[in-house]
Amino acid sequence: MNRTLSLALLSLLPIVNALAQQTSKAPSAATAFPNRPQHGSASVPADQSFPRTDQNSRIAHAQLLEKARKGGIDIYFEGDSITRRWGSSDRQYKDFLANWNRNFFGWNAANFGWGGDTVQNILWRLRNGELDDVNPKVIVLLAGANNVGRTPPAGGDEVKIEEVTKGIKATLDLMQQKAPAATIVLMGLTPRNDGGTAIVSTINKINDRLARLADGKKIRYLNINNRLADDEGKLFEGVTVDRLHLSVKGYQIWADALRPVFTELLGPPARTDHAPPPTGDPSAHAKSAEPRSAGR
């Protein structure tokens, strides 16, 4: 690992240690919700916050807290890996970051997505400082993919639909509490085919519920799915890299839908940009700094 990266990670250790103490005091899912199946945040109601306790997520949270403290953010993106990869500093996603810069430079946009997060995990991050005193003018939220999963529940999807909707409603409420002046762009969940197309019906039902959460003013609903998939939910060629995560083509479709909204709310992009530098996956950065063997 190079000296600059080592010093940067060392500077985050006090925050990470504090987070470790904080999350260790949180009740386990088994204690707080004894009647639910115990498998991480999936065992917690979707409108309740739940922390990621792995070291990599703790470091990432510390980095995002630091990004929030730097300020200069007018557009705040929140979500899971579909959001995170777009504005990430990870070398493997450099083409996504180039697309991000082409579309959003001058609007002071910052990305606060984190891979693998459920709605419960996003709620925890928001309740633990990542939106405090940021005061963005626009928030873009795409969440719920990790709650929905790859295939429909065996016993029917009504409970899943209700849970995800309830969790996203709680997220919107918290965002409005912490950033009352912001206009929130609520994205419909994007289609996924990594487990076939059967789950798309559940996604569509959730999106129908999400559309009702928008008032067209402070919360605007935006759905790009008819540009990503056909009427049966089958993804168009080239819009994802793995039938779930968006490709450059997919991100450009998303950007084409967002840019008119940003222009309406913020005006055209400026010639300079004041958003903090992008962050990435701490473990990926550590690995990229190690010497490569011939077999890699």
Side-chain angles (χ1 to χ4, degrees):
M1 185 180 298
N2 62 42
R3 179 176 175 80
T4 301
L5 183 59
S6 298
L7 291 173
L9 291 176
L10 283 172
S11 69
L12 294 171
L13 282 177
I15 301 175
V16 173
N17 289 334
L19 290 171
Q21 294 178 2
Q22 183 177 359
T23 54
S24 68
K25 295 176 183 177
S28 69
T31 302
F33 307 101
N35 296 322
R36 290 175 177 260
Q38 303 308 316
H39 46 279
S41 61
S43 61
V44 178
D47 60 347
Q48 301 295 314
S49 63
F50 193 81
R52 298 274 294 277
T53 56
D54 61 282
Q55 185 73 354
N56 200 44
S57 292
R58 288 173 177 170
I59 295 172
H61 176 53
Q63 291 177 338
L64 292 174
L65 286 174
E66 183 61 27
K67 182 190 286 188
R69 291 190 186 108
K70 289 178 179 177
I73 299 166
D74 287 331
I75 303 176
Y76 185 105
F77 280 76
E78 182 59 274
D80 49 45
S81 57
I82 299 173
T83 300
R84 184 193 87 82
R85 293 183 180 192
W86 201 1
S88 169
S89 60
D90 297 349
R91 181 168 56 186
Q92 71 199 88
Y93 303 134
K94 65 182 190 313
D95 292 342
F96 300 161
L97 181 59
N99 179 271
W100 168 279
N101 289 330
R102 281 195 302 271
N103 282 290
F104 304 134
F105 182 88
W107 271 318
N108 305 322
N111 194 314
F112 285 78
W114 180 237
D117 265 8
T118 60
V119 174
Q120 296 95 318
N121 302 142
I122 292 171
L123 276 169
W124 187 89
R125 292 193 291 107
L126 292 172
R127 284 178 174 154
N128 285 273
E130 289 188 19
L131 188 53
D132 290 2
D133 300 318
V134 177
N135 300 316
K137 297 174 182 176
V138 180
I139 299 174
V140 180
L141 175 64
L142 173 58
N146 292 308
N147 295 82
V148 172
R150 299 169 66 243
T151 56
D157 60 6
E158 190 55 38
V159 172
K160 177 81 69 178
I161 293 164
E162 183 64 30
E163 277 282 292
V164 175
T165 305
K166 185 168 63 173
I168 293 178
K169 173 65 164 59
T171 306
L172 294 172
D173 290 345
L174 183 58
M175 286 175 162
Q176 290 189 310
Q177 175 188 327
K178 289 184 174 287
T183 298
I184 302 174
V185 180
L186 173 60
M187 300 300 305
L189 275 69
T190 52
R192 61 188 300 171
N193 293 173
D194 52 328
T197 59
I199 193 63
V200 174
S201 174
T202 302
I203 291 171
N204 290 340
K205 292 173 188 176
I206 292 171
N207 286 343
D208 288 342
R209 300 278 188 96
L210 297 186
R212 300 175 205 165
L213 300 179
D215 59 11
K217 298 176 183 178
K218 296 303 289 183
I219 300 176
R220 303 191 183 194
Y221 176 71
L222 186 59
N223 189 316
I224 60 172
N225 291 1
N226 64 349
R227 298 192 60 191
L228 296 174
D230 64 20
D231 292 342
E232 303 301 317
K234 184 178 180 181
L235 289 161
F236 296 134
E237 187 69 29
V239 299
T240 68
V241 297
D242 56 5
R243 292 181 287 184
L244 169 62
H245 297 94
L246 297 177
S247 62
V248 170
K249 181 178 180 180
Y251 281 125
Q252 189 57 53
I253 289 170
W254 189 2
D256 289 342
L258 287 173
R259 285 176 59 85
V261 179
F262 294 167
T263 300
E264 176 192 344
L265 295 173
L266 303 174
R271 294 182 179 180
T272 58
D273 194 283
H274 303 289
T279 50
D281 181 349
S283 66
H285 282 268
K287 290 174 183 176
S288 68
E290 296 172 355
R292 289 179 167 236
S293 66
R296 249 182 216 177

